[in-house]
Amino acid sequence: MSDTLNEQADEHTFGDDVPDAGPAKTADRISSLDFIRGLAVMGILAANIIAFGQPFSAYMFPEAFLVPANDPGGWQWIAQFTVIDGKMRGLFTILFGAGLYLFMERAWARGETRWLQARRLFWLLLFGLIHFFFIWAGDILAYYALVGWIVLPCLKWQAETQLKVGLLGYLVGAIVYALMMVPLPFVADTPMGDQAGFSEMRDGLESAKQEALADYVVETKIKQSGDYGGFVQHRAQEHGFDLFGNAMFFALETFPLMLLGMALYRMGFFSGGWAPSTLRKWGWIGLVTGALLHLLIALWARSNGFTYYGTLAAFVGISPLPRLMMVLGMAALLVLFAPKATGWLGQRVSAAGRAAFTNYIGTSVLMLFVFHGWALGLFGELNRPQLYMVVLAVCIIMLAWSKPWLDRFRYGPLEWLWRCLTYGRLFPMRR
């Protein structure tokens, strides 16, 4: 049974190996992480779907929709902002941090060093670069690889140190984001910008906004025309350095969350080491409190007319701390629920999590066929409810293929490729 568990653990996208533990405990841990990861990868699609099917700025700024959004009162925007946006990415990042440590536990047991993890992250970076330049501008894999290298020296810190630095680092990042973003809507959208000391800043903000929206107009024409070569060329020429700039900017969130994932994993958070009553209590407190704060932020953005800089401030400047509450609350409640998700649907969600790498990249490839002009050509054609129907259809596809595939094969296709590249040898694919 131990060999079977080790083989199953190697199928993980963001955590290839399992620590030394009893077979039953190891199986529960694998199943729980798989289930949470499966929900997260489907939730990421729900968060990204607006930017897949409409100009990227529509992710935050509703006026960027190329058709009427069919969102009376902005309540669908509010619901997505409150429940989905940023939470799935945060959950995924915590799981990635847990996976970094989980991988190294068995690597250390085999006499390997952190160089194996560094090589693994190098290949992840290449996957991310391909994803960013040829498929999807919202890639997170390259971010994870770059920040993962920064995290490597922290692997042998005490779990308590990782937890404290993670929490403190996240708080510092939240303060930095607030200082950078919160003043923008007041300068851009209120009489404050008319004052002599701020008028130049307002002009600069308006210019930056128009420049960004104009770029999305160009990219929209390319996508709708079906010129895939032009699409790649535009990405390389106009946005070639965006990925690295964004990685540095969002490292203030990603790095602390990875540390928190490591610490929670080592403290038994994912493996029954915490009392269920504690998880339930603080899970609901974090989830409900964070959701209520998000709702207040969303209502503030709505009261200001969902302006460009108002929505940017809501997403980046105001919500990080409530988002952390929700991410940790969701993680706690899912840790409680995951071991019970053994039915037909739960097994398929877990299988989607075991093939999360393939599902994440595969979803982006599928969206090329759905939205680009050389295929179905639906870019800019679907309103918000219709885009959610695409999410539902693609989630069904994830659930439909993942389990039958993994019943026959040891790994998802990209999981297998990544593992072979990491270790520099071919692994058997069939069970």
Side-chain angles (χ1 to χ4, degrees), residues 39-207:
L39 290 178
V41 76
M42 289 187 283
I44 285 175
L45 172 60
N48 288 342
I49 191 59
I50 305 301
F52 273 125
Q54 292 286 338
F56 210 94
S57 56
Y59 180 84
M60 294 183 293
F61 183 44
E63 286 187 22
F65 265 76
L66 300 178
V67 296
N70 194 16
D71 183 14
W75 290 106
Q76 292 175 57
W77 186 98
I78 291 171
Q80 178 163 334
F81 174 80
T82 301
V83 178
I84 298 292
D85 289 332
K87 290 74 176 176
M88 299 301 113
R89 185 183 70 248
L91 189 60
F92 218 51
T93 308
I94 283 178
L95 291 173
F96 187 88
L100 286 175
Y101 196 87
L102 185 149
F103 178 89
M104 285 308 305
E105 278 192 321
R106 280 193 56 83
W108 285 326
R110 294 192 301 264
E112 300 279 2
T113 68
R114 282 175 283 194
W115 284 108
L116 180 64
Q117 183 71 272
R119 187 162 69 241
R120 181 172 177 257
L121 292 172
F122 168 77
W123 290 112
L124 184 66
L125 175 62
L126 290 187
F127 280 117
L129 291 174
I130 293 169
H131 190 216
F132 176 81
F133 284 106
F134 295 94
I135 305 173
W136 166 234
D139 171 75
I140 60 173
L141 301 180
Y143 294 178
Y144 282 0
L146 293 170
V147 177
W149 278 327
I150 301 174
V151 170
L152 285 181
C154 312
L155 283 169
K156 290 193 175 182
W157 289 0
Q158 295 294 321
E160 292 79 6
T161 302
Q162 292 172 341
L163 181 68
K164 291 176 182 177
V165 174
L167 290 173
L168 180 61
Y170 194 95
L171 177 60
V172 170
I175 294 172
V176 171
Y177 293 143
L179 292 174
M180 293 176 65
M181 298 296 171
V182 172
L184 302 186
F186 293 96
V187 174
D189 306 327
T190 72
M192 178 179 176
D194 296 330
Q195 300 177 19
F198 295 102
S199 59
E200 186 175 347
M201 181 180 178
R202 168 182 269 188
D203 292 341
L205 291 174
E206 181 61 24
S207 176

Side-chain angles (χ1 to χ4, degrees), residues 262-307:
M262 288 184 190
L264 292 173
Y265 167 77
R266 296 175 68 189
M267 292 176 173
F269 180 83
F270 297 104
S271 57
W274 292 33
S277 59
T278 300
L279 291 173
R280 188 175 298 108
K281 173 185 174 182
W282 290 107
W284 281 115
I285 289 175
L287 184 63
V288 173
T289 304
L292 288 175
L293 291 173
H294 270 87
L295 179 59
L296 292 175
I297 296 168
L299 293 175
W300 169 79
R302 179 176 180 264
S303 70
N304 292 326
F306 294 119
T307 65

